[in-house]
Amino acid sequence: MDQTLYQGEFFEHTTAYLDYVGKKANIDVNVLSRLKYPKRALCVSVPVRMDDATVKVFQGFRVQHSLTLGPGKGGIRYHQDVTLSEVAALASLMTFKNSLLNLPLGGAKGGVAVDPTKLSRTEKQNLTRRYTTEILPFIGPQQDIPAPDVGTDAQTMAWIMDTYSQSVGHAVQGVITGKPIEIGGSLGREGATGLGAIFCLEEALKVKNSDMKNKTIAIQGFGNVGSHAALYAHQRGAKIVAVSDVDGAIFNPNGFNIPELMTAYKQTKSLTKINVGENITNQQLLALDVDVLIPAALDGVITSKNANDIKAKIIVEGANGPVTPDANKILHEKGVTVLPDILANGGGVVVSYFEWVQSMASFFWDEDEVNKRLRFVITKAFKSVWEMSQKEGIDMKVAAMSLAMKRVEKGMLLRGLYPR
Ligand code: NAD
């Protein structure tokens, strides 16, 4: 393999971590060498007619890391910093998330290097339709099923579904998930990642003979994942004492009324402009003396530099990769339980999978059914990770990745190498 093809820090960290866990878990050397690189990657140019009639060309990608366990599954990101390397790393994480959650799906990811906040609605639609056309031979309900990620939303998914459907001449709901309900989206999808994180936390408290009642929680990020995690924890009697966004954090030792805070946030779009608590920094939020910390904004926020400042006893990785491998080691030694991202934020892809199943069957479930099934999947995965971590005396992040790699390994060995 050309080592420079996917060159980039995030990809290199991901590969190094796979190597570390793969060797610890005794993964077949041939399998491990295949798992370090994507199965295939498509790079496309996306020409877009802008509102001023000029044409701009954006760089787009779709990477399929593994299709061993089923069709590719993973979001599409619109962000100015998107690179092939980043998309490849994220596609690989999807393989292991889907595997850990026992979903019949492979791992994929897509992206376009564009700042979506600088596009008009028409420009965003033009970009989405042309990007979809360029990756059309790569995607499909049996092949690879994209979903929303940073910078894309249900409307973007609706345009992708329509573009694909136009090309084949009939409506194809199963080509995409995260769609609006009216065209085949699933009830419960919007809050699924936050709800999955809270189901996971409930299980972690249960094995420690505790529960959510009066637990103090600090949450970094008040977007889709953070705000829903806050809401579901609040509904279960926990005290959300601090929340944050990109502008800073707010703190109230008595706990916030989350439904009221969500309503106020819709208006101000900035937490620090709502006068309901003391303004603190994101760094201070991470170091608060709370029972549970949920980093739900960015990757790499808890590192070897600040791991020793953490006072929470449980960390729920709402975001992808907020705790670095070095920090994870320190936290494990300090007795902090880190609920790993591929488990704790898996609720979104689980309900995406449910959406795909419903779309393919043209038979839709009510929200209780969706949530009940989500709880079942997350609880089962939690138990297997917890049991392995206890049995082998390893932290939950390593246990989760080992289990996920083992399942993919088994699939690869059963299917064999073609041609031999
Ligand atoms: P979002 O865009 O809805 O929210 C992100 C939040 O983080 C916002 O509140 C934003 O203000 C805050 N933020 C941004 N920069 C920050 C900074 N420098 N410091 C502090 N806060 C900052 O995104 P989201 O969908 O909630 O996703 C958050 C994370 O969870 C991402 O890592 C994403 O990949 C991951 N994730 C999301 C889902 C999902 O279903 N939405 C599923 C799995 C993983």
Side-chain angles (χ1 to χ4, degrees):
M1 277 299 293
D2 178 359
Q3 306 283 326
T4 59
L5 194 61
Y6 297 105
Q7 209 167 35
E9 210 179 347
F10 187 21
F11 184 80
E12 278 150 26
H13 284 166
T14 308
T15 313
Y17 193 59
L18 285 182
D19 205 43
Y20 166 73
V21 178
K23 283 179 180 146
K24 240 176 135 62
N26 245 336
I27 299 293
D28 179 281
V29 283
N30 297 323
V31 167
L32 187 55
S33 62
R34 288 174 67 192
L35 284 177
K36 284 197 222 161
Y37 296 96
K39 176 182 172 63
R40 52 192 184 188
L42 181 65
C43 301
V44 296
S45 294
V46 187
V48 178
R49 174 92 53 201
M50 307 302 279
D51 290 346
D52 64 3
T54 59
V55 173
K56 269 198 187 158
V57 184
F58 299 92
Q59 178 83 67
F61 310 96
R62 184 75 189 169
V63 176
Q64 293 164 354
H65 173 262
S66 168
L67 302 178
T68 297
L69 300 178
K73 187 93 197 78
I76 290 174
R77 178 174 291 197
Y78 289 173
H79 191 275
Q80 56 278 16
D81 298 336
V82 161
T83 60
L84 174 62
S85 171
E86 181 192 55
V87 176
L90 291 167
S92 125
L93 289 179
M94 287 310 299
T95 296
F96 300 110
K97 190 181 292 186
N98 294 336
S99 165
L100 177 69
L101 296 165
N102 221 354
L103 305 177
L105 298 168
K109 201 83 183 186
V112 180
V114 60
D115 180 351
T117 62
K118 302 240 161 78
L119 299 179
S120 69
R121 182 185 155 91
T122 308
E123 289 167 343
K124 194 169 175 185
Q125 181 172 175
N126 291 348
L127 174 102
T128 301
R129 288 188 182 277
R130 186 59 190 252
Y131 169 68
T132 307
T133 307
E134 295 299 338
I135 64 165
L136 210 76
F138 233 45
I139 60 170
Q142 309 285 3
Q143 222 177 326
D144 181 359
I145 308 123
D149 192 68
V150 176
T152 57
D153 54 15
Q155 176 60 73
T156 324
M157 299 305 111
W159 290 327
I160 294 177
M161 181 210 152
D162 185 66
T163 308
Y164 186 90
S165 300
Q166 296 294 339
S167 82
V168 295
H170 56 90
V172 184
Q173 292 183 336
V175 69
I176 201 95
T177 61
K179 302 179 290 291
I181 303 291
E182 296 78 0
I183 53 168
S186 176
L187 292 170
R189 173 64 185 85
E190 202 192 342
T193 307
L195 184 59
I198 296 308
F199 284 157
C200 195
L201 174 59
E202 283 186 304
E203 291 305 312
L205 289 165
K206 219 184 271 174
V207 296
K208 292 171 189 289
N209 296 319
S210 188
D211 59 28
M212 297 284 283
K213 204 103 202 107
N214 291 323
K215 287 286 170 303
T216 53
I217 304 185
I219 303 179
Q220 182 183 45
F222 204 62
N224 179 288
V225 181
S227 67
H228 284 103
L231 180 67
Y232 298 125
H234 175 81
Q235 286 171 354
R236 286 160 173 73
K239 264 204 285 185
I240 318 302
V241 297
V243 289
S244 77
D245 62 18
V246 66
D247 298 330
I250 52 174
F251 171 63
N252 180 343
N254 299 319
F256 294 110
N257 180 322
I258 298 297
E260 279 176 16
L261 193 62
M262 285 171 87
T263 307
Y265 189 58
K266 274 196 190 122
Q267 272 144 29
T268 63
K269 308 256 188 300
S270 176
L271 289 167
T272 49
K273 286 191 188 136
I274 309 168
N275 210 6
V276 282
E278 182 191 338
N279 286 0
I280 59 171
T281 64
N282 265 289
Q283 277 308 322
Q284 285 172 312
L285 176 144
L286 296 175
L288 283 174
D289 190 0
V290 286
D291 297 311
V292 180
L293 174 64
I294 309 184
L298 305 169
D299 61 277
V301 291
I302 302 171
T303 66
S304 54
K305 291 204 182 88
N306 63 353
N308 276 315
D309 302 335
I310 304 294
K311 297 178 195 74
K313 286 280 164 288
I314 299 179
I315 297 179
V316 185
E317 286 194 305
N320 285 317
V323 178
T324 65
D326 286 353
N328 185 51
K329 229 182 222 170
I330 299 171
L331 291 164
H332 182 59
E333 277 156 18
K334 272 176 41 142
V336 179
T337 301
V338 179
L339 302 180
D341 49 6
I342 60 171
L343 170 68
N345 72 27
V349 74
V350 172
V351 178
S352 260
Y353 163 64
F354 294 163
E355 179 179 332
W356 177 64
V357 169
Q358 293 170 80
S359 286
M360 297 297 273
S362 286
F363 181 74
F364 293 87
W365 314 341
D366 65 28
E367 195 163 347
D368 278 354
E369 180 77 18
V370 171
N371 292 346
K372 203 171 70 194
R373 288 177 187 265
L374 170 61
R375 181 192 273 279
F376 177 80
V377 173
I378 296 285
T379 305
K380 194 166 171 216
F382 174 89
K383 283 187 176 144
S384 59
V385 174
W386 176 254
E387 276 161 20
M388 181 173 187
S389 76
Q390 295 304 294
K391 201 167 109 204
E392 308 214 350
I394 54 178
D395 65 73
M396 288 187 76
K397 257 175 102 73
V398 172
M401 190 51 101
S402 303
L403 282 170
M405 289 180 83
K406 278 273 171 214
R407 231 169 245 154
V408 182
E409 177 196 40
K410 209 169 199 176
M412 287 170 81
L413 293 176
L414 280 168
R415 287 183 60 169
L417 181 64
Y418 175 82
R420 67 176 306 279

